Amino acid sequence: MRTTAFAVAATVALGAPAAFAGAPFEDYGRVTNVTPEYDRVSVPRQECYSDYEPQAHRRHDSIAGPLIGGVAGGLLGAQVGRGTGRVVTSAAGAVVGALVGDRLGNRGREEVYERQVRRCRTVDSWEESVSGYRVLYEYQGRGYTTVLPYDPGSRIPVHVSVQPAADGYRAY
């Protein structure tokens, strides 16, 4: 018991000069209000959807249409032309007849179907995240405010430093 009393007395005696010399010490203030503060952050994300586009496809090309059209065009061209121009009009009639015969022969042979196409785009998505906590607290009957990265709970540690007044006033 005597040793414990001596240890306490020594601690107070050694700690007292530091407290009176203005060395800071730690104490606790009472938290009166905590309010979270938020930041709005843009988080880009991709939105995708399926779209359908019509596609045309020929089933099977028929050789009969262009062949019959070419022969008929050539014969018709030969009937129109005279002399050496008969060869030119026959050739031109064969070409035009082949084109017309191809169109007529393959008419109705196209298949139309829808092809699925995936389309994506990047959109901004706004999220709010806690950036800190505005803390109102009291110490020695005075109110203070600070912002902390965490919620301190019901009490907050404070550093206390005692300095003499600038005008030399001394309280006894």
Side-chain angles (χ1 to χ4, degrees):
M1 171 121 165
R2 188 171 183 193
T3 310
T4 305
F6 180 71
V8 169
T11 303
V12 169
L14 292 175
F20 289 102
F25 61 95
E26 193 170 283
D27 200 0
Y28 290 92
R30 185 177 64 86
V31 174
T32 57
N33 189 15
V34 177
T35 306
E37 292 188 341
Y38 297 93
D39 280 340
R40 265 184 73 142
V41 180
S42 173
V43 180
R45 63 181 168 86
Q46 258 195 347
E47 277 186 356
C48 296
Y49 61 95
S50 294
D51 199 7
Y52 295 91
E53 293 180 346
Q55 297 289 314
H57 177 69
R58 287 190 179 191
R59 281 188 277 172
H60 300 287
D61 286 335
S62 171
I63 192 92
L67 188 62
I68 294 170
V71 170
L75 290 174
L76 189 61
Q79 296 296 321
V80 173
R82 303 268 185 241
T84 56
R86 182 176 281 196
V87 175
V88 175
T89 57
S90 293
V95 170
V96 171
L99 292 173
V100 170
D102 181 52
R103 297 284 177 179
L104 292 175
N106 290 320
R107 184 174 48 184
R109 289 185 170 253
E110 284 187 346
E111 288 182 348
V112 177
Y113 63 94
E114 289 187 342
R115 182 175 67 116
Q116 183 177 2
V117 179
R118 184 169 171 87
R119 301 188 191 278
C120 295
R121 65 183 183 143
T122 302
V123 295
D124 285 333
S125 176
W126 293 94
E127 295 180 2
E128 289 188 350
S129 64
V130 175
S131 62
Y133 295 87
R134 181 165 301 281
V135 180
L136 301 169
Y137 64 96
E138 289 181 352
Y139 181 75
Q140 298 281 327
R142 289 189 172 168
Y144 300 93
T145 303
T146 189
V147 176
L148 297 174
Y150 59 92
D151 183 345
S154 62
R155 60 188 205 149
I156 183 171
V158 294
H159 290 284
V160 181
S161 176
V162 179
Q163 300 290 327
D167 62 359
Y169 172 77
R170 297 172 99 172
Y172 290 99

